[in-house]
Amino acid sequence: MSLAGGPAVTLFDGPVFGASWELDDTVVFGHTGNGLWQVSSDGGDAEQLVLAEDGDYRWPHVLPGGRAVLYTIWRGSLDTSEVAVLSLESGETRTLVGGSSPRYASTGHLLFGRQRSLWAVPFDLARLEIVGSPAPVLEDIQVDPGFGGSAFAFGPNGSLIYFPDGGRDSAATRLVWVPREGGPEVGVATAAHIFTNPKLSPDGTRVLLDARDGEDDLWVWDFTRETLTRLTFSTESDRFGVWTADGQRVVFTSGRDGTVNSALYWRAADGTGTAERLTESSSRAIPNAVSPDGKRLVFVGGGNRDLHVLTLDDERRVEPLIATEFYEGSAAISPDGRWLAYEADASGQIEVYVQPFPNVDDGLWQISATGGRMPSWGPDGRKLFYLTGAGVMGVTVDTDAGFEAGRPDLVVDGAVLFFDVAPDGRFLTVKMSPQIGDAGPARQIHVVQDWTQELLERVPVP
């Protein structure tokens, strides 16, 4: 692709965290929840390099020579993230050091973020091994504690470029109501956090939120009382909460009780009582949706990220629902309980599909055509919505005689990170805080020229 001009090319339409462009015009990227992938810079089908087995694989950096890739193993917080390396020749992966956003420097260092500092450690490029002790080399680097990115780059000419730390508020998100039929947006006056994964309660009076700014707990915003209440207080990560059908409980993923890969738990939505574990498998489990009758929970689990069903009775049976060689996730059950919408990468990119529920073998329909994720049903089940890079798309569906989907239309324009649909048809969206665009530290770029000598003095290379 030439920088002289020409049309933009969509390489992959799906949840991506970080990309690295190789010299042979191959782009390596982190596909959220599904490992590291590569795709030609001219477009085409993406190819999986390695499946994520523990956490998400993010912020890849292709090493000189193109024989290996550095990347971040993201487990929900800066404290638990690690830097790893993948050999493209052998397929072997190896954990190197605690941190995130790795970069290789021509001085023979591995640079990486740790909390809000830049660290360096001597690195043997031939053996793909650390050969010294890590040490901090620069304080106050801007980071995104919700997603694990550190804002710095090291150029081949020895220059260091970075964003200084703008504080937690510079990376905060905001909740915004968007009317169904257009009109002015209305912000929700919550506290400054990095909120993700909004899930409205069945009656629409509350919203369940993931806070991803170092606390990694679940919070509930009450629209009537205008109060934000913390729901979980575990020292481990509590994430991906969904409501039960009656709104009395919340199901979520947690690493508590020594479940390294995270199991499913639930607890009372008002915060009383204790959390009860629902699954026993050692594989990571992420809840997606509870059926309208409250009897089944659809969740993502297993090494290949397939969809499973957990019965919410005393027996707690787990059964496979959709199990293929591809990734399936972000499932949503229609209001009448008859249809299951979900995202999958069977076509080489993330698309939205619908199948009958719970008898998924009775049909399959692809809803999106050029990429789509995070499907959500409208309150009457006559509309299905999903997220793209352009915003939220809407598709009219007819289920009176089988299933039929119409043409997708853009219903919410702009950069939407997450969304959910309220019982009254409004969209509750998560967008980046406008503070990022304001004047101040978040907009400053610092450039340190000829930084190699200072780096070698601080962290000598053997």
Side-chain angles (χ1 to χ4, degrees):
M1 183 186 299
S2 172
L3 294 179
V9 176
T10 300
L11 301 183
F12 184 82
D13 191 350
V16 171
F17 282 105
S20 182
W21 198 339
E22 297 183 56
L23 295 178
D24 66 350
D25 289 337
T26 298
V27 177
V28 176
F29 60 94
H31 173 8
T32 305
N34 211 20
L36 298 180
W37 290 60
Q38 65 180 5
V39 66
S40 169
S41 61
D42 295 322
D45 293 338
E47 176 189 358
Q48 187 179 57
L49 295 175
V50 62
L51 177 68
E53 296 181 352
D54 180 16
D56 289 339
Y57 292 176
R58 302 181 175 184
W59 316 117
H61 173 70
V62 179
L63 288 167
R67 54 183 285 264
V69 180
L70 296 169
Y71 62 97
T72 300
I73 302 176
W74 180 251
R75 299 188 182 92
S77 73
L78 294 171
D79 293 329
T80 58
S81 64
E82 292 183 299
V83 171
V85 63
L86 163 68
S87 170
L88 297 178
E89 298 173 339
S90 67
E92 177 188 0
T93 60
R94 181 188 310 150
T95 302
L96 299 174
V97 66
S100 65
S101 302
R103 297 290 185 272
Y104 179 76
S106 56
T107 54
H109 290 92
L110 168 62
L111 302 176
F112 60 94
R114 183 177 287 180
Q115 291 296 339
R116 299 185 186 276
S117 300
L118 179 63
W119 288 62
V121 63
F123 184 72
D124 188 316
L125 185 60
R127 293 186 296 165
L128 302 179
E129 295 178 353
I130 285 175
V131 290
S133 299
V137 292
L138 188 66
E139 301 294 329
D140 297 328
I141 294 289
Q142 187 180 111
V143 298
D144 185 338
F147 300 103
S150 298
F152 75 92
F154 185 78
N157 63 351
S159 296
L160 172 69
I161 302 174
Y162 69 96
F163 286 89
D165 178 24
R168 189 182 76 176
D169 288 350
S170 68
T173 56
R174 59 193 177 108
L175 297 178
V176 178
W177 282 112
V178 179
R180 175 73 175 268
E181 303 299 333
E185 299 181 350
V186 179
V188 179
T190 62
H193 281 282
I194 301 174
F195 285 131
T196 66
N197 194 42
K199 296 295 181 182
L200 287 158
S201 61
D203 62 3
T205 62
R206 295 164 293 170
V207 61
L208 182 65
L209 300 159
D210 286 9
R212 304 293 306 280
D213 46 7
E215 295 171 335
D216 289 321
D217 276 297
L218 297 172
W219 297 68
V220 174
W221 173 262
D222 188 310
F223 294 105
T224 303
R225 299 175 55 231
E226 295 189 343
T227 56
L228 182 66
T229 304
R230 186 172 175 177
L231 183 62
T232 63
F233 294 84
S234 172
T235 56
E236 303 298 331
S237 176
D238 294 331
R239 300 172 55 196
F240 304 114
V242 298
W243 299 88
T244 55
D246 59 8
Q248 298 301 305
R249 293 176 181 265
V250 169
V251 184
F252 58 96
T253 296
S254 178
R256 63 184 69 198
D257 299 334
T259 55
V260 177
N261 289 326
S262 300
L264 295 182
Y265 291 77
W266 70 357
R267 70 169 305 167
D270 61 5
T272 59
T274 59
E276 178 186 356
R277 186 170 175 175
L278 299 176
T279 55
E280 297 298 330
S281 173
S282 59
S283 297
R284 190 185 192 198
I286 299 175
N288 283 176
V290 175
S291 59
D293 62 9
K295 296 180 179 180
R296 300 181 181 95
L297 167 72
V298 176
F299 70 95
V300 180
N304 205 35
R305 305 298 174 92
D306 295 317
L307 292 176
H308 297 74
V309 171
L310 168 68
T311 57
L312 297 176
D313 53 20
D314 294 337
E315 295 185 18
R316 306 276 169 78
R317 300 181 309 278
V318 174
E319 298 176 351
L321 181 64
I322 301 176
T324 71
E325 60 185 299
F326 306 106
Y327 154 76
E328 296 94 15
S330 296
I333 303 173
S334 62
D336 62 6
R338 297 172 52 208
W339 308 97
L340 182 78
Y342 63 95
E343 64 181 34
D345 60 3
S347 67
Q349 68 177 349
I350 298 287
E351 300 282 3
V352 173
Y353 299 86
V354 168
Q355 292 186 243
F357 181 79
N359 301 318
V360 294
D361 294 333
D362 290 348
L364 172 64
W365 296 268
Q366 181 173 327
I367 303 302
S368 59
T370 57
R373 56 194 178 95
M374 300 182 188
S376 183
W377 294 91
D380 59 2
R382 296 288 184 178
K383 200 89 170 181
L384 181 62
F385 305 95
Y386 61 90
L387 195 60
T388 69
V392 179
M393 306 296 291
V395 176
T396 299
V397 298
D398 185 351
T399 61
D400 291 336
F403 184 90
E404 185 177 348
R407 179 179 176 178
D409 293 313
L410 185 65
V411 295
V412 179
D413 190 5
V416 177
L417 302 178
F418 302 89
F419 80 101
D420 198 9
V421 186
D424 63 5
R426 291 180 299 164
F427 299 95
L428 181 65
T429 64
V430 176
K431 299 184 177 184
M432 292 304 299
S433 170
Q435 292 172 317
I436 293 180
D438 294 341
R443 293 195 63 188
Q444 295 177 6
I445 300 177
H446 288 194
V447 178
V448 183
Q449 296 181 335
D450 301 324
W451 191 60
T452 54
Q453 187 59 40
E454 180 180 347
L455 176 58
L456 287 167
E457 290 175 356
R458 293 193 177 202
V459 185
V461 173

